[in-house]
Amino acid sequence: MKRKISFIISIIVAIVFGIKEISSTVLKNNPIEAEQTAKKQESKKETKTDSERQQKHAEKQITQKNFHLPAEKSKDVIVHHKAYSLSYNKQHNTPNWVAWHLTDKHTAGPVARSSKFWADPKISKPYRVDYYDYKDSGYDRGHMCPAGDNKWDETAMYECFYMSNMCPQDPKLNGGQWGRLEQECRKWANTEKEIFIVCGPIYEGKKHESIGIDHKIDVPEKFFKAVMSLKPGKEKAIAFIFTNDDKNPSYRKLATSVDAVEKLTGFDFFCMTDNNIEKKIEQQCDIDDWK
């Protein structure tokens, strides 16, 4: 029996090598077919090279477009999506910050608001929060980069519903002053032509309320939002701090300086801006400058 199996294997090997030898001989004896095969192989190499070039170009565009991103820390998990970028915190399972560039062309659009939330495929599985992790928690899936800023593109709208862009947020804050400031930012983008926004959670102390089913998600005590305009000769910035409850007054009364938020969070916002301009505008705190 063993001899028969060995004999059959020998025949199969001989056939395989025979086919390869015949193919090789055919190509040698048929220069046209050989040339076509060579062209196909060269075309595959060119396609791969073009793909690599396109990827590098896209990465370069992301870097240029998001020059306003906060300074990165060594342990930051940075994720780029079409309309925004974020730093993800694997301890809290929320973003550290979310940053985006809002232009007057992106304040409206034909794309309808999504009705579903999605796990972010760019977050590693052990930390990939899903929509059901917030179920019956009493907290909203609070957008950092809002849906209202992403009506201009279907992909942008889809990605802004990734759970990596969410934090557990008090429903009255989410539907109240936080939402009103989002609307105001779109007005400012129309007036200024473009603004740069960074926002995120603030965790105070070492112990936090947490929610979650398959993932533990810490509930932040506060939220921040920082906004910058670089209109030539009229550069300015402002920031806001909200408590994660239903007791916030008008966002106008919560205005503070970017410097104050940087001190509270430990992040360096708008760090790629000209140093002299950055130093000047991050000290500002005048809500009347924003109309």
Side-chain angles (χ1 to χ4, degrees):
M1 184 66 179
K2 289 183 179 178
R3 288 182 181 179
K4 285 183 179 180
I5 293 172
S6 299
F7 178 70
I8 292 169
I9 292 172
S10 299
I11 291 174
I12 293 171
V13 171
I15 291 170
V16 170
F17 277 98
I19 290 171
K20 287 186 176 179
E21 187 65 30
I22 290 168
S23 299
S24 178
T25 304
V26 169
L27 288 174
K28 285 179 182 178
N29 295 333
N30 190 339
I32 295 174
E33 191 169 343
E35 184 180 351
Q36 289 176 344
T37 301
K39 284 182 178 179
K40 285 180 181 178
Q41 291 175 344
E42 188 64 31
S43 176
K44 286 181 180 178
K45 288 181 181 178
E46 288 177 0
T47 301
K48 186 177 180 181
T49 304
D50 289 342
S51 178
E52 289 173 350
R53 285 200 198 103
Q54 288 172 1
Q55 185 177 354
K56 287 181 180 179
H57 179 66
E59 289 174 354
K60 186 178 180 182
Q61 282 187 320
I62 285 172
T63 303
Q64 290 174 339
K65 182 179 178 182
N66 295 325
F67 72 91
H68 57 288
L69 291 180
E72 294 182 20
K73 297 183 179 181
S74 58
K75 294 184 180 180
D76 282 359
V77 178
I78 305 299
V79 175
H80 297 293
H81 291 302
K82 184 165 188 175
Y84 66 94
S85 297
L86 64 93
S87 166
Y88 195 74
N89 189 307
K90 294 188 291 186
Q91 178 183 345
H92 299 307
N93 280 326
T94 62
N96 289 311
W97 51 256
V98 178
W100 66 103
H101 175 206
L102 183 61
T103 73
D104 57 341
K105 293 182 176 64
H106 290 175
T107 57
V111 181
R113 178 187 172 92
S114 175
S115 59
K116 294 182 179 180
F117 294 82
W118 325 89
D120 188 341
K122 291 189 176 182
I123 302 298
S124 56
K125 284 188 177 181
Y127 312 100
R128 192 181 297 168
V129 172
D130 214 328
Y131 74 94
Y132 57 79
D133 281 305
Y134 280 58
K135 187 178 180 181
D136 298 326
S137 67
Y139 288 94
D140 282 358
R141 302 174 185 89
H143 281 78
M144 296 298 97
C145 180
D149 290 6
N150 292 283
K151 293 181 178 180
W152 54 279
D153 183 86
E154 288 185 3
T155 300
M157 177 62 75
Y158 183 93
E159 292 180 342
C160 91
F161 277 80
Y162 281 151
M163 293 303 297
S164 57
N165 183 41
M166 307 296 155
C167 286
Q169 200 165 51
D170 183 277
K172 289 190 177 179
L173 170 62
N174 188 26
Q177 292 305 312
W178 185 259
R180 290 191 181 93
L181 181 55
E182 290 174 344
Q183 294 172 5
E184 201 67 18
C185 284
R186 287 191 281 277
K187 291 180 183 177
W188 294 340
N190 286 325
T191 302
E192 303 293 320
K193 301 304 178 186
E194 63 176 359
I195 58 175
F196 303 93
I197 306 172
V198 187
C199 72
I202 298 174
Y203 289 96
E204 296 181 329
K206 294 182 179 181
K207 292 184 178 180
H208 315 281
E209 180 185 354
S210 63
I211 64 171
I213 296 175
D214 286 343
H215 304 84
K216 178 177 174 288
I217 306 154
D218 288 335
V219 179
E221 285 72 36
K222 295 178 180 178
F223 290 94
F224 73 87
K225 179 167 282 189
V227 185
M228 175 179 70
S229 169
L230 291 178
K231 182 180 280 189
K234 297 181 179 179
E235 298 88 352
K236 57 188 176 184
I238 195 166
F240 304 85
I241 297 174
F242 299 82
T243 53
N244 193 11
D245 54 34
D246 60 355
K247 298 177 176 61
N248 288 277
S250 167
Y251 70 87
R252 296 179 64 85
K253 295 182 179 180
L254 299 174
T256 187
S257 67
V258 174
D259 277 345
V261 175
E262 287 182 331
K263 186 176 181 180
L264 191 60
T265 62
F267 293 113
D268 182 7
F269 303 122
F270 311 131
C271 60
M272 297 302 289
T273 309
D274 177 84
N275 285 336
N276 291 328
I277 293 175
E278 181 187 7
K279 184 176 180 181
K280 178 184 176 182
I281 65 177
E282 288 191 352
Q283 296 174 356
Q284 297 173 353
C285 175
D286 191 347
I287 190 65
D288 292 330
D289 285 344
W290 296 81
K291 297 178 180 177

